[in-house]
Amino acid sequence: MTTTPVQHAAPRARTRRARLPWQRVPIWALMLLACVLSVVPFYLMFVWASHPSAEVFTFPPHLWFGDAFARNWQGLMQVTDGQAPRQFWNSLYIALISTLTTLFFCSLAGYAFAMYDFGGKGALFAFILGTMLIPPLVMDIPSFLVMNNVLHWVGQPRALWVPGMANAFGIFLMRQYISSALPRELIEAARMDGATEFGIYRQVVLPLIRPILATLGVVTFVGAWNNFKGALIMKLSEPDTMTLPLSLRRLGGGATNVNVDWGAIMMLVVITVIPLLIVFLLASRQVISGLTSGAVKD
Amino acid sequence: MSQRTPTAAPPRAPWSYTRFQQRFAPYLFVSPFFLLFAVFGLFPLLFSLFLAFHLWSPLDGVGNWKFVGFENFQLALGPTDMFWKSLKNTVWIGLLSGIPQHLVALPLAFIIHHSLRRFQGAFSTILFLPYITNAVAIAIVFATLYSERLGILNYLGGLVGLDPVRWLGDPNMVPYSVAAVVFWRYVGWNTVLYLSGLQAISEDVYEAATVDGANGWQKFWYITLPLLRPMMFYAFTLTIVGSMQLFEEPFMLLNDGGGSGGAGLTSAMHIFNTAFRDLDMGYASAMSWLLFLAIFALSMLNNYLFSRDGGRR
């Protein structure tokens, strides 16, 4: 019985929306422009990374690929004293370990807030949300002092990933998803079957919240991979700890000095951006819908 | 808790591991956040407040701070220091990048939602791309575009007969050049936010309005905008909080001094320099609290504007 009105409505809606093609030209032109402007800087960094250093700045500028990719890679190895792969690995290590620990601790806490009733739950959750109001900037100086004078972690990668392992945003995102996506009966049933509380989390909850784990995972990975200020403050500047953003700063910081190896720098730019593109394009739909669904609920 | 068990689970032992762990599991599950917050949040926060009233460099060693009362705050708000100037720069760059972001994102989201339904996913993915990218890497790309003699922007300008612009060299141009990068990075994010806000509005409302004879403009003004308010409030808040802490883009484009005349020196950069280059931790802490107050005040203003308008309706 529901099919009849739908069948009636559909063609009518279509005729109303179907306009002459030329009327849609401005809309398509506008969207095309927006997309091109979004993508052009990415395109240009690949173009520049494929030209010899001296030709990154030429007039008129290059707009198509050259053949100096391999040469720029060698140049990059030269200007980084062969450390570029190591820097890539340092960034990857911090990003991966941040992601895994964040997913674990945030989903655990989010699950507790979504599925348990316990004394002080409301107040504890409100407190966690309240910490989101503190601008990260206010924390820079004192957390450096804790790392420097108390823990002596300055210069070590853990200074970057430990503080954020269980963060307010992740816990909030997880709680929102778990309370709307998982039925409490499921937890009860597992409990009846004799599962332990952590066992329920591991065997029942974790497999069912994969979509939101993917969202938070990508966001955390991207955030940790891009963490420039943190690495700068915590002085990850020795050869064996330097991350890609710090290396970029060292090579390409401060406007446009033509006497440096720009082909090599663009190579490093490309290397810094490629993992982000891969991770995001693999999960973009998921990430976008996950992020925006958490945005306005509550 | 052993006394409380008998009523519920009949023949079990008075103290059971199952019950025990059921009761304490949630506390255990949420505890990591509070442990981490105590060490890396609460203590640092209090310490920072303490330092704001002291003169101290980490080189002096723990305990060798000198109480100076409100002197740090007076210095920051006085005419001699860069803090006021940096705050003005920050707000100005924030307005130059923030207002266009929303003026462009809202219509874009509207077009994608109403006219390009089939390609929504593709468009939002492409427009979202700048948001996830690395600020340092992209600042280098933009610095290349901005190059005065050999950059693409001045090349394109030359094609239509414009004189070369000193994008990063002219103090009057610097805020626009920095704002353009920020705009590029976040306009897609705002578009995607508005798009999801639009998708949450039920079609029924529009159909009811159509029946009542509303035209397209009326539908936008009386239905879309009011129902989009929560999302607009959220997006504005993020823009305010984010632009007030702007650091990486100007730091990379202009070096830590903020370029010629310090026209691109933001408050976050000034605080960073004071703390980690000059090692004047007390003064830097005081300024970070002043910046926090500024962010708080602007967020409250945003809140007030939204709630007051909402009440009128």
Side-chain angles (χ1 to χ4, degrees):
Chain A
M1 77 210 163
T2 47
T3 48
T4 352
V6 170
Q7 276 169 351
H8 272 288
R12 208 192 304 144
R14 211 178 297 139
T15 45
R16 210 193 308 135
R17 222 172 261 129
R19 295 182 201 146
L20 293 171
W22 59 266
Q23 280 182 304
R24 297 179 65 98
V25 166
I27 285 177
W28 278 101
L30 187 72
M31 289 315 300
L32 207 64
L33 180 70
C35 290
V36 166
L37 289 179
S38 285
V39 173
V40 151
F42 294 101
Y43 172 75
L44 286 175
M45 67 176 77
F46 283 94
V47 167
W48 285 326
S50 69
H51 282 285
S53 188
E55 290 179 27
V56 166
F57 289 100
T58 49
F59 219 68
H62 283 294
L63 295 175
W64 189 247
F65 299 93
D67 55 5
F69 237 85
R71 204 179 118 180
N72 284 335
W73 171 255
Q74 284 164 358
L76 175 61
M77 290 301 273
Q78 216 159 41
V79 292
T80 58
D81 293 322
Q83 292 295 313
R86 176 72 209 236
Q87 292 161 1
F88 184 89
W89 164 249
N90 289 339
S91 279
L92 191 66
Y93 167 77
I94 290 176
L96 284 179
I97 200 159
S98 288
T99 306
L100 291 176
T101 52
T102 302
L103 288 183
F104 175 66
F105 287 115
C106 290
S107 61
L108 201 58
Y111 164 57
F113 280 118
M115 288 292 162
Y116 285 92
D117 295 311
F118 54 98
K121 173 171 143 172
L124 291 178
F125 191 66
F127 181 85
I128 292 181
L129 288 189
T131 63
M132 282 211 267
L133 297 176
I134 307 166
L137 184 133
V138 179
M139 305 302 301
D140 285 346
I141 296 166
S143 53
F144 167 77
L145 295 174
V146 170
M147 296 289 180
N148 188 46
N149 296 11
V150 184
L151 296 167
H152 305 291
W153 284 5
V154 169
Q156 297 181 36
R158 70 178 82 139
L160 256 62
W161 59 264
V162 170
M165 287 191 302
N167 63 76
F169 169 74
I171 294 174
F172 174 71
L173 197 67
M174 287 293 166
R175 191 201 78 132
Q176 293 295 92
Y177 185 87
I178 293 173
S179 58
S180 67
L182 292 195
R184 279 197 176 208
E185 293 75 28
L186 198 68
I187 311 298
E188 284 303 323
R191 205 167 274 150
M192 296 289 224
D193 290 343
T196 62
E197 297 307 302
F198 187 75
I200 295 173
Y201 159 79
R202 201 169 60 87
Q203 289 169 316
V204 179
V205 178
L206 269 191
L208 289 174
I209 61 169
R210 278 212 198 118
I212 200 72
L213 288 176
T215 300
L216 183 61
V218 171
V219 172
T220 309
F221 183 92
V222 169
W225 180 270
N226 285 340
N227 188 351
F228 168 65
K229 202 178 175 197
L232 199 61
I233 290 175
M234 295 307 166
K235 300 197 175 81
L236 297 189
S237 42
E238 296 300 310
D240 57 332
T241 55
M242 188 178 280
T243 59
L244 289 174
L246 281 197
S247 182
L248 274 174
R249 162 76 184 167
R250 199 169 63 88
L251 294 181
T256 43
N257 180 357
V258 188
N259 297 323
V260 286
D261 190 342
W262 276 95
I265 293 174
M266 285 305 160
M267 198 67 188
L268 193 63
V269 165
V270 164
I271 288 171
T272 306
V273 169
I274 281 181
L276 297 168
L277 294 180
I278 293 174
V279 164
F280 176 66
L281 291 177
L282 283 180
S284 65
R285 297 279 173 92
Q286 175 59 39
V287 171
I288 291 174
S289 66
L291 272 185
T292 48
S293 74
V296 278
K297 274 189 210 157
D298 271 22
Chain B
M1 73 268 11
S2 51
Q3 306 97 309
R4 288 187 204 159
T5 42
T7 44
R12 289 248 179 89
W15 188 92
S16 94
Y17 173 71
T18 314
R19 292 246 128 204
F20 173 79
Q21 54 117 24
Q22 272 180 18
R23 247 193 109 113
F24 283 93
Y27 293 105
L28 200 63
F29 291 175
V30 303
S31 60
F33 175 87
F34 293 95
L35 286 174
L36 287 173
F37 185 75
V39 180
F40 300 106
L42 193 61
F43 171 68
L45 215 53
L46 296 174
F47 191 45
S48 160
L49 201 56
F50 171 84
L51 275 185
F53 296 96
H54 291 77
L55 183 66
W56 187 65
S57 148
L59 301 179
D60 297 341
V62 174
N64 289 324
W65 28 69
K66 183 168 159 266
F67 181 76
V68 293
F70 282 94
E71 244 174 60
N72 287 330
F73 293 93
Q74 281 165 349
L75 184 60
L77 298 174
T80 51
D81 195 77
M82 285 296 285
F83 184 71
W84 262 127
K85 184 173 160 65
S86 77
L87 202 58
K88 273 185 235 159
N89 290 342
T90 310
V91 171
W92 180 224
I93 294 175
L95 289 172
L96 284 177
S97 61
I99 292 175
Q101 265 177 51
H102 293 272
L103 288 181
V104 169
L106 192 54
L108 269 189
F110 205 71
I111 291 174
I112 296 177
H113 182 65
H114 286 289
S115 305
L116 303 168
R117 294 206 158 193
R118 270 203 297 154
F119 301 95
Q120 276 180 19
F123 280 127
S124 42
T125 299
I126 293 174
L127 295 175
F128 203 73
L129 216 48
Y131 177 74
I132 58 122
T133 197
N134 183 288
V136 177
I138 220 66
I140 291 180
V141 172
F142 271 88
T144 317
L145 292 176
Y146 284 145
S147 169
E148 197 181 320
R149 282 190 314 119
L150 304 166
I152 289 182
L153 284 178
N154 281 346
Y155 168 73
L156 292 176
L159 290 184
V160 292
L162 294 174
D163 285 335
V165 177
R166 297 168 63 222
W167 298 99
L168 299 174
D170 178 353
N172 294 319
M173 263 331 282
V174 158
Y176 295 90
S177 305
V178 174
V181 183
V182 180
F183 170 83
W184 176 80
R185 218 174 147 208
Y186 292 100
V187 69
W189 160 250
N190 285 303
T191 307
V192 166
L193 277 187
Y194 286 136
L195 186 59
S196 80
L198 290 171
Q199 285 163 347
I201 300 174
S202 158
E203 281 294 322
D204 302 350
V205 191
Y206 289 107
E207 278 179 23
T210 313
V211 171
D212 290 344
N215 62 30
W217 177 249
Q218 285 170 326
K219 281 186 222 168
F220 176 75
W221 195 252
Y222 292 108
I223 299 176
T224 311
L225 271 190
L227 289 177
L228 216 52
R229 289 179 78 83
M231 193 53 103
M232 293 176 76
F233 172 67
Y234 177 71
F236 283 15
T237 306
L238 286 185
T239 302
I240 291 170
V241 174
S243 3
M244 290 299 286
Q245 300 181 71
L246 186 68
F247 176 79
E248 292 175 358
E249 286 86 352
F251 189 85
M252 279 304 295
L253 286 170
L254 304 160
N255 269 329
D256 51 3
S260 66
L265 183 80
T266 63
S267 296
M269 287 164 75
H270 184 51
I271 293 171
F272 176 88
N273 291 339
T274 309
F276 299 105
R277 190 189 62 197
D278 312 339
L279 294 176
D280 194 345
M281 291 286 175
Y283 183 38
S285 296
M287 288 192 291
S288 75
W289 281 98
L290 285 173
L291 186 62
F292 170 64
L293 287 180
I295 295 173
F296 186 75
L298 286 174
S299 305
M300 283 294 112
L301 180 70
N302 183 34
N303 201 349
Y304 171 75
L305 291 175
F306 267 83
S307 65
R308 203 179 61 147
D309 245 8
R312 211 194 286 154
R313 242 181 216 102

